[in-house]
Amino acid sequence: MAVEEEGLRVFQSVKIKIGEAKNLPTYPGPNKMRDCYCTVNLDQEEVFRTQIVEKSLCPFYGEDFYCEIPRSFRHLSFYIFDRDVFRRDSIIGKVAIRKEDLQKYHNRDTWFQLQHVDADSEVQGKVHLVLRLSEVITDSGVVCHKLATRILECQGLPIVNGQCDPYATVTLAGPCRSEAKKTKVKKKTNNPQFDEVFYFEVTRPCSYNRKSHFDFEDEDVDKLEIRVDLWNASNLKFGDEFLGELRVPLKVLRQSSPHEAWYFLQPRDNGSKSLKPEDLGSLRLNVVYTEDHVFSSDYYSPLRDLLLRSADVEPVSASAAHILGEVCREKQEAAVPLVRLFLHYGRVVPFISAIASAEVRRTQDPNTIFRGNSLTSKCIDETMKLAGMHYLHVTLKPTIEEICQSHKSCEIDPVRLKDGESLESNTENLRQYVDRVFSVITTSGLSCPTVMCDIFFSLREAAAKRFQDDLDVRYTAVSSFIFLRFFAPAILSPNLFQLTPHHTDPQTSRTLTLVSKTIQTLGSLSKSKSASFKESYMAAFYEFFNEQKYADAVKNFLDLISSSGRRDPRSVQRPILLKEGFMIKRAQGRKRFGMKNFKKRWFRLTNHEFTYQKSKGDPPLYSIPIENILAVEPLEEESFKMKNMFQVIQPERALYIQANNCVEAKAWIDILTKVSQCNQKRLAVYHPSAYLNGHWLCCRASSDTAAGCSPCTSGLPANIQLDIDGDRETERIYSLFSLYMSKLEKMQGSTPSETRASKATSGSSLRPPPIPCEARGIPCPRMVP
């Protein structure tokens, strides 16, 4: 989601590796061990949670998390929780990294000391405040100075125990005085609009001098301050919850009166001593935070056009895209934005075909074809990751879930066998799993995405032409990607491909490792398969699959996915699961006297329908065919005083849904919009608020069938697998050229064609206007701290 900032579109994303914690405090009991998990929070909104590591004071998580950040934030926070025997969670400590400090830790493993957490330190949000000092002449002729404190609104207050009923206290405080006043409570909102004014008497001078309109007693005023405390009104006996405070010294009025500013809320300084950081342990993290600042499309036209012509340049090594791969320190750096750009403009197949053909011509041994980490390999890997993710899910996910749930022992290494385990039984379990996985892969050819098949066709043709005496090279050129770099890694680490939500347990991980090794060897079609195993027990196990039917099945599968003019997978009627999970929906009141309350339901989206049921695996309670989705849009918070809500609009009504957090809400809106983008009856306008109490809250229209009052979101691509912004990717490529400009200039003397391409990519005509410092990752604060 882009945020408009000074004429730029700003995209935020974060990639996090949660490593391990160490030296956590012991549990106050005989066991002393803890069952801990870690959460990732934007300020205080949880967006990710690791699995629980049981009975450890040094838990290893090893989990990765990536998301596009859909809103502004102040801190990226990590909390370590302990799950106790009563299934209640208690916070051990936290790591909070300010947004402006994220660049300090960019892409490097860092140990952070866990900090103490209490209610007074957990704050977020900001307050809009206006201060005005005035002279007032009373009826008796006495002159006094009065301070008008106007608290307009707050934004982004935290949700406490599922609700937020905020109010503010405004206090004029000094060494010898403290006068407090209180706003009204605003129910069910974390963005309250107060707009209340409070008056405080500041000074009473002995004389009145009209020439010095704001001549007040310096020693008094310099010691005074306005303090605003935010509270959440609570019905509990423990009292109201503190949400944060701000303190403004009155001497700010010397520079300007009135004084108006937004202030971030701060923790309460109550003078209490917290635990020493080393008392709580530490957490190892690797954080990559990225901000892409993107100009309007016309700025990028010269560079974009030059890149898109890369497939037509002879030789392709002189093209702008190939040169980018040469100057980048890591091929992956160049491959990611290049593939996304070429996919967006439908040019990825010609480009990959061109660089693959050039690499094949340089290859001397058919057994090493596409085995290196070249630009070709990285580009094909990235294309499969983007275009093939749903294909991977529909093919492997059911079987991977079955392996994780059944939890059968499959250890076949005699040295690793546990007491009571049978080698014969374990071998049979593993053989059944391998057969199951092998079968679902080799029968999935019709579901393979067209763009992958077109690339495989070009690989096959280039390899067969280069090595005409090797009849198997047309298969190995394709299998080196589809088996070795696509299916086998997904089986080995299913959490990295979203096939499982977390890392698998050690026993299941070992089973998947053995399955992955076997599938990789089956797909490689190597001449001496047993010799490809370093372990003798694996070579012995592979004899179960050393039959011609397995080789034939692999070849038939490879023939199908690398054939030109194959059937478009979108014509296959098999439902593809796109996304699922628990959310809260508002009952639609389809019955005459039905209650319109909120209920937790399991939602499931395929390329055919959007359904919900009570729990996972239950029959659907309600189904919306994809062709009936007219729009998918956010729902304003004021409708139900609930955050992260969106609406799925159908011909007869809108379904109102609340996601778990802002990241999940954006993900659901994006995927639902993309899968329904080509519907012929999509709406052009919609109601951003709900229809309640006989009218639409947004436009006050009384008819529930009244036309919408706001334009619908548009412009997302129809392809359900890809959500790519071409300008954003071009900006990333421009940034890479700028980063490696010195290497680019050294290449200018290589060949005439390379010189022309190099000069073109470094020419001033391709450069957008100078970008402000903060647009390059240097913070430029605009808020009063």
Side-chain angles (χ1 to χ4, degrees), residues 568-597:
D568 191 324
R570 286 173 293 185
S571 66
V572 179
Q573 294 304 307
R574 183 180 177 187
I576 300 174
L577 178 63
L578 304 177
K579 189 172 177 59
E580 60 181 346
F582 275 113
M583 291 189 291
I584 296 173
K585 66 98 184 176
R586 182 177 185 252
Q588 301 178 79
R590 292 187 298 274
K591 298 178 182 179
R592 184 175 180 181
F593 299 104
M595 293 182 64
K596 293 185 178 181
N597 54 352

Side-chain angles (χ1 to χ4, degrees), residues 351-361 370 376 380 458-459 462:
F351 173 66
I352 290 181
S353 298
I355 60 175
S357 296
E359 181 172 331
V360 169
R361 289 194 294 269
F370 299 128
T376 303
I380 296 176
S458 66
L459 300 182

Side-chain angles (χ1 to χ4, degrees), residues 188-191 635-643:
K188 296 183 179 179
T189 178
N190 67 335
N191 298 309
L635 187 69
E636 290 182 350
E637 178 188 336
E638 292 303 313
S639 295
F640 300 105
K641 308 295 184 183
M642 296 167 65
K643 291 173 66 70

Side-chain angles (χ1 to χ4, degrees), residues 546-702:
N546 201 9
E547 300 179 26
Q548 188 61 35
K549 67 176 184 178
Y550 290 100
D552 290 343
V554 170
K555 289 182 177 180
N556 289 337
F557 170 67
L558 296 175
D559 280 333
L560 180 59
I561 66 172
S562 60
S563 298
S564 180
R566 62 177 294 282
R567 187 178 175 188
D568 191 324
R570 286 173 293 185
S571 66
V572 179
Q573 294 304 307
R574 183 180 177 187
I576 300 174
L577 178 63
L578 304 177
K579 189 172 177 59
E580 60 181 346
F582 275 113
M583 291 189 291
I584 296 173
K585 66 98 184 176
R586 182 177 185 252
Q588 301 178 79
R590 292 187 298 274
K591 298 178 182 179
R592 184 175 180 181
F593 299 104
M595 293 182 64
K596 293 185 178 181
N597 54 352
F598 289 87
K599 296 180 179 179
K600 189 175 183 180
R601 292 289 182 259
W602 180 264
F603 285 82
R604 195 170 186 270
L605 174 66
T606 72
N607 56 333
H608 291 181
E609 61 182 353
F610 182 49
T611 62
Y612 62 76
Q613 51 242 48
K614 278 193 174 182
S615 299
K616 185 177 181 179
D618 290 349
L621 296 173
Y622 187 67
S623 171
I624 305 174
I626 295 301
E627 57 268 22
N628 284 359
I629 297 178
L630 306 183
V632 184
E633 299 289 345
L635 187 69
E636 290 182 350
E637 178 188 336
E638 292 303 313
S639 295
F640 300 105
K641 308 295 184 183
M642 296 167 65
K643 291 173 66 70
N644 304 319
M645 291 200 71
F646 64 94
Q647 51 185 317
V648 180
I649 304 172
Q650 313 162 68
E652 65 278 8
R653 64 176 65 85
L655 176 61
Y656 300 132
I657 303 171
Q658 183 187 36
N660 297 319
N661 54 62
C662 62
V663 172
E664 272 292 294
K666 179 184 183 298
W668 275 105
I669 292 172
D670 284 352
I671 191 69
L672 282 162
T673 300
K674 282 179 280 185
V675 79
S676 61
Q677 187 71 30
C678 291
N679 290 350
Q680 295 181 354
K681 296 182 180 180
R682 281 188 63 87
L683 297 177
V685 292
Y686 79 108
H687 292 285
S689 290
Y691 183 82
L692 293 173
N693 301 322
H695 64 267
W696 294 99
L697 299 182
C698 42
C699 60
R700 313 303 291 182
S702 58

Side-chain angles (χ1 to χ4, degrees), residues 186-204:
K186 298 296 181 179
K187 293 287 188 179
K188 296 183 179 179
T189 178
N190 67 335
N191 298 309
Q193 302 283 330
F194 293 111
D195 198 9
E196 295 190 39
V197 182
F198 301 100
Y199 293 94
F200 298 93
E201 187 177 285
V202 179
T203 60
R204 288 183 177 276

